[in-house]
Amino acid sequence: MSSFEYPGEYYEVIRKDFRDLAAETEFLASYLPPGGRVLDIGSGTGSNLRALAALGHPGTGLDQSEAFTAYAITAADPGSAATAYVHTRAEEFTTDDRFDLVYSLFSTLNQLSRAELRQLLTTVLGWLAPGGHVVIDIGHLLNFVDGYQPNIIAHHQGDDLLVTRLARQSVHAHRAVWRNEETIIARDGEGRVSMYANFFDQTVFTAPEVRDLLVDAGFEVVAEYGGFRKEPGPRIGRGPLLFVARAAADAQEAAA
Ligand SMILES: C[S@@+](CC[C@H](N)C(=O)[O-])C[C@H]1O[C@@H](n2cnc3c(N)ncnc32)[C@H](O)[C@@H]1O
């Protein structure tokens, strides 16, 4: 079974303990013209797309998780801008649409191999509308090293719901891959308990490697941040890493 196949409402409870959705929304919206279209690669339960749709940004989300895609479709607000959710692996997605912003958050792209990411970035360049941007929030080597915990037990409290993560991490040093094996245990208000297995490997990129992959794919990196409040990138490379890029051809045109 592929990973992230458990009820979306449990993921949403876990997500809010890790992420600042308001900061993410403000950050993403700052790269969008009014009504600008977005594409979310690995849209999960649709948290970011729902927030952007509420601001009037229509878009598309794609995700390999059937459970999360189903949740995102049900949770969409019919009063907001239209959002389509597609159940697919990013590497297999095709579209004739063009987007003002293509983004991928919460280390989703770490779930691709180096070769897959290289190919995907080239494809993404072709999905950008003129003047469009790409935002990548990616885990890099020092994040993985700093965050390494072989065993984690974490409780995440929702409304009338307790979600417990039992996580085991291990490192495949020769392939620079971080292996995550999670057991998700949910207890609802009536005392019902359910349990799910979640397994995923993450490629450990270095920051210069991601920069090079973007440039090789035809992008110009316009900014690097250490967080969604546009904090400066951490001086010695630790902490979260956000890349903002645009087509190198756009940069040349702007300079001409
Ligand atoms: C950590 S979650 C992040 C979800 C969402 N971006 C967020 O911020 O909540 C990673 C997501 O990436 C999806 N994913 C992993 N590999 C993928 C791939 N190759 N193509 C599409 N989705 C993928 C998983 O199904 C999962 O929903």
Side-chain angles (χ1 to χ4, degrees), residues 199-222:
F199 169 93
F200 54 100
D201 281 343
Q202 289 177 295
T203 306
V204 180
F205 298 105
T206 62
E209 188 179 8
V210 178
R211 225 172 273 138
D212 287 349
L213 282 172
L214 280 163
V215 170
D216 289 353
F219 289 98
E220 178 209 30
V221 176
V222 293

Side-chain angles (χ1 to χ4, degrees), residues 18-86:
F18 285 97
R19 311 291 294 185
D20 180 347
L21 182 60
E24 291 172 348
T25 307
E26 200 179 313
F27 183 93
L28 295 173
S30 75
Y31 294 101
L32 279 164
R37 295 179 53 82
V38 294
L39 174 69
D40 185 334
I41 299 177
S43 46
T45 51
S47 322
N48 295 111
L49 282 171
R50 271 195 305 284
L52 290 170
L55 296 180
H57 297 293
T60 300
L62 54 98
D63 201 285
Q64 55 95 47
S65 160
E66 196 173 358
F68 285 8
T69 305
Y71 176 91
I73 291 169
T74 319
D77 177 357
S80 291
T83 305
Y85 289 97
V86 186

Side-chain angles (χ1 to χ4, degrees), residues 136-176:
I136 289 175
D137 160 28
I138 198 156
H140 65 109
L141 178 62
L142 292 174
N143 299 146
F144 283 98
V145 172
D146 284 352
Y148 179 62
Q149 278 182 272
N151 293 294
I152 301 167
I153 304 176
H155 300 290
H156 305 273
Q157 187 69 57
D159 296 337
D160 237 7
L161 184 67
L162 180 70
V163 182
T164 300
R165 277 170 56 245
L166 306 178
R168 296 160 297 284
Q169 297 185 338
S170 55
V171 184
H172 191 316
H174 295 280
R175 287 177 47 225

